[in-house]
Amino acid sequence: MQANTHQLGPTPLTRAQLVDIARHQGRVELTPQAINNITTARNHIDKLATENRPVYGISTGFGALAVRHIPTHRRTDLQRSFVRSHAAGAGNPVEVEVVRAAMALRLRTIATGRTGVRPETAHALADLLNTGITPVVGEHGSLGCSGDLAPLATIALALTGEGEVLTPSGQRRPAAEALAEAGLEPVTLGEKEGLALTNGTEGMLGMLVLALHDLTALVDIADLTAAMSVEALLGTDRAFAADLQHLRPHPGQAVSAARMRAFLADSAIIASHRGPDCPRVQDAYSLRCAPQVHGAARDTIRHAETTADAELAATIDNPVLLDDGRVESNGNFHGAPLAYVLDFLAIPVADMASMAERRTDRMLDVARSHGLPAFLADDPGVDSGYMIAHYTQAAITAELKRLAVPASVDSIPTSAMQEDHVSMGWAAARKLRAAINSLTTVLAVELLTAARALDLRAPLQPAPATAAARDLLRTRVPGPGPDRHTSPEIAAAEHLIRSGELHHLITTHLGQEQP
């Protein structure tokens, strides 16, 4: 299938466009307006580059070295040295989708015409994206202030033909070789270009946008697995009624409650104990309060989306070229707005996992599962069922609580106290990515457990939606029986969630209950 091509100009990229570029190899193209803006801005920078008055990043050093005046004949050397020295990342390589997101976002900022990058450099960055060559960026190196310096400098370094890259086939190669094979010329950086390619929050923003995309789907999955658990534990759907939700008018809560009502609609299991002879008055919190917790996560996501959309419309550079021709230093590169929401999102991720773990535990405990065999085992004692799958889920849930500790409350002064307060937004983004990955595993274990519990409620039949989810799982994981190797079953359930296959299936069952 041919990749989509996205126009980059002064208008913001949408979140969906960025996900397509980052994750599905979408292509980019600079609009005529963007090229005009870039050219006009560059003409202004070229004029400043010949003058003796100090302009940060053009005729001065960087950071604490900004007091050093750079003579005209050394100003291109300044940019080359800047990129080489700032490409100081370490650790495991950052995921390709994160690097591509950062590249696309930096190119969109360049397209506004406020950074002073030359048109040929902008085209070179677009070509790097479109050929599928991805710089190898180390995981550590950004403090989330003065932009994501080390990661973005590593990208800029690849443009110059230095450093290492991944080819479209995933091979790790020297940048110069990969560029030559793709027919691309290395860039010789002009005045201000090293700084302009580097001084932005694009790494943090790219990870936030990707996280928002993934979390939006995962909350739907959490609503599904919660509904399956309610059904498997002979719970009630009455607590999810729309009139009860209207008493507390949080929009996310209304959505999650509606989702759970839709997933439980026409359940023979629910109907079997709906009568007046049922002695249970109310379910445990992990069942009854799922819309409140999942809904709060939805509202947190919505808040984070407003921050992401504002950043997608922003021009982050220092110094920045203004409409009246001024080139001004500023603090817009500070990552605090991103760092706060990245940290905020890690809290509901941990809490949704915690609630899912509690529901899983109830299904495995013969004292609380209302008639299910211990640990859902075929022959309890001989078989252990999903006992240790729950251990794995519990261990991950504990780790998620640690990942919910905010990074943005920390700051380590750097650059000889010139950069004396930093956001740690990059660290917040990295731990959020880890948390989302772990939440997927937690929900996969609940899916496995609830599906087996629903099978064990036969001959009573689950709702059409939960039955469809169980049946999809059964194409990869067999039903109840003697113990089997459990890890592949967890992996299979994870794949159904990560691939979007399960999410696509369940959306067809939302019907009129979809707000």
Side-chain angles (χ1 to χ4, degrees), residues 223 240-242 244-261 291-292 294-296 298-299 302 513-515:
D223 288 340
F240 313 138
L244 289 173
Q245 311 310 311
H246 291 162
L247 298 176
R248 196 183 193 192
H250 292 292
Q253 177 178 324
V255 172
S256 280
R259 295 279 199 270
M260 292 186 69
R261 290 196 302 272
Q292 285 73 19
H294 298 177
R298 291 184 184 279
D299 292 339
R302 185 171 301 175
E513 288 282 19
Q514 184 167 0

Side-chain angles (χ1 to χ4, degrees), residues 8 28 30 34-35 38-39 42 45-46 76 79 83 103 106-108 110-111 115-129 152 155-161 179 184-198:
L8 295 186
V28 296
L30 292 165
I35 295 169
I38 292 167
T39 302
R42 184 62 203 181
I45 296 300
D46 284 340
T76 55
Q79 302 303 314
V83 169
M103 293 166 70
R106 198 63 200 154
L107 184 58
R108 184 262 152 191
I110 291 168
T115 70
V117 166
R118 293 173 302 156
E120 54 264 43
T121 303
H123 284 299
L125 183 54
D127 290 342
L128 201 65
L129 264 170
L152 291 174
I155 293 170
L157 189 71
L159 279 179
T160 70
L179 292 178
L184 303 180
E185 290 289 332
V187 171
T188 299
L189 298 174
E191 295 86 352
K192 193 184 182 294
E193 287 195 305
L195 183 61
L197 287 166
T198 302

Side-chain angles (χ1 to χ4, degrees), residues 335-358:
L338 290 161
Y340 295 162
V341 294
L342 288 160
D343 276 336
F344 193 3
L345 287 169
I347 295 172
V349 168
D351 209 31
M352 285 191 294
S354 180
M355 190 171 245
E357 181 274 326
R358 288 292 82 206

Side-chain angles (χ1 to χ4, degrees), residues 211-221 298 301 305 503:
L212 289 169
H213 178 272
D214 293 341
L215 267 179
T216 299
L218 279 178
V219 181
D220 283 345
I221 298 297
R298 291 184 184 279
I301 290 169
E305 286 173 345
H503 189 262

Side-chain angles (χ1 to χ4, degrees), residues 449-512:
T449 306
R452 180 177 286 192
L454 290 177
D455 283 335
L456 293 170
R457 293 296 183 191
L460 291 174
Q461 292 300 307
T466 56
R470 177 202 60 188
D471 293 345
L472 176 62
L473 180 67
R474 290 289 166 258
T475 65
R476 317 291 172 84
V477 176
D483 283 352
R484 302 179 294 264
H485 184 189
T486 308
S487 290
E489 299 191 358
I490 296 174
E494 283 181 302
H495 178 75
L496 288 178
I497 297 172
R498 294 186 202 283
S499 68
E501 190 174 351
L502 180 60
H503 189 262
H504 176 74
L505 172 73
I506 62 176
T507 55
T508 64
H509 288 271
L510 293 174
Q512 295 181 351

